[in-house]
Amino acid sequence: MERSKRKAERRTRWDSSKLDAYADFIGRVRAAIHGAVLLYEVREEMRTLGRSERELAEDLTELGIAQSLAFERVMLLADHRVIEVAHAVQEATAAIGWQARGVVEGTLAEWRALHVIAFEAINRFHERARQDLGVNGDFDGQEHAERGLLLPEVRREGERDTT
């Protein structure tokens, strides 16, 4: 009985650590995406901010480092199914960052498509993490993806957002 009790306590401790790692990872992913959006919009002259393109690029670098460290924590705690989707999240987020920085050129439509891919990967991560943690209830990532992205509409020539 004592052995069962210790085993349950260990499982609870690991599940708690996993939950913290998974939540931290996704929070840092979302922060990096937000930083990429700001940089992209300034670089593409879709909005003006009180920060330079260089400052926003530096912010994005710091956000990427924090995201990578959070990913390593997931790698230490997660099972292989969660790790596989976490890799997909990392790849999708990197593609967003590359276009935001101008390393990879692309249209606004291509930029939006990168976000769709990223949020589909995030939804798969949520699904796998919930399974790994034994969370009850349904989670339909597709339903969430269909709600749309909070990205700027396609800009007409000559338009500019100055918020």
Side-chain angles (χ1 to χ4, degrees):
M1 189 161 136
E2 186 65 31
R3 194 178 325 188
S4 293
K5 181 180 174 184
R6 276 186 269 137
K7 186 177 179 181
E9 287 172 356
R10 266 194 317 274
R11 186 175 43 246
T12 300
R13 185 180 74 232
W14 285 115
D15 284 350
S16 178
S17 295
K18 285 181 182 183
L19 176 60
D20 291 345
Y22 297 168
D24 183 52
F25 174 62
I26 289 302
R28 297 201 185 265
V29 165
R30 297 295 300 257
I33 290 171
H34 178 72
V37 167
L38 293 177
L39 175 58
Y40 179 83
E41 290 179 357
V42 167
R43 194 175 63 76
E44 293 293 319
E45 299 178 345
M46 299 172 80
R47 81 162 66 188
T48 57
L49 294 174
R51 313 219 35 233
S52 72
E53 191 176 318
R54 181 174 182 212
E55 290 171 318
L56 294 170
E58 289 170 356
D59 289 349
L60 185 55
T61 297
E62 289 177 20
L63 291 166
I65 291 168
Q67 178 184 334
S68 293
L69 293 173
F71 172 72
E72 291 300 322
R73 193 164 165 225
V74 169
M75 295 279 293
L76 288 169
L77 295 169
D79 73 13
H80 73 278
R81 292 168 299 185
V82 176
I83 291 169
E84 284 303 311
V85 294
H87 276 292
V89 170
Q90 289 292 92
E91 291 167 10
T93 309
I96 289 170
W98 294 332
Q99 189 166 343
R101 292 177 187 281
V103 173
V104 174
E105 291 298 322
T107 66
L108 182 58
E110 291 167 333
W111 169 250
R112 293 176 67 80
L114 292 175
H115 286 266
V116 169
I117 292 166
F119 284 100
E120 287 172 350
I122 289 168
N123 285 338
R124 283 192 310 278
F125 180 86
H126 284 134
E127 290 168 3
R128 292 288 187 194
R130 288 169 58 91
Q131 290 170 359
D132 186 37
L133 293 168
V135 175
N136 295 326
D138 293 332
F139 176 84
D140 183 357
Q142 186 59 38
E143 178 182 315
H144 293 283
E146 290 172 357
R147 293 178 187 225
L149 301 175
L150 298 176
L151 292 172
E153 296 298 321
V154 175
R155 171 176 58 147
R156 290 182 284 274
E157 192 161 329
E159 282 188 22
R160 198 167 166 192
D161 179 16
T162 58
T163 57

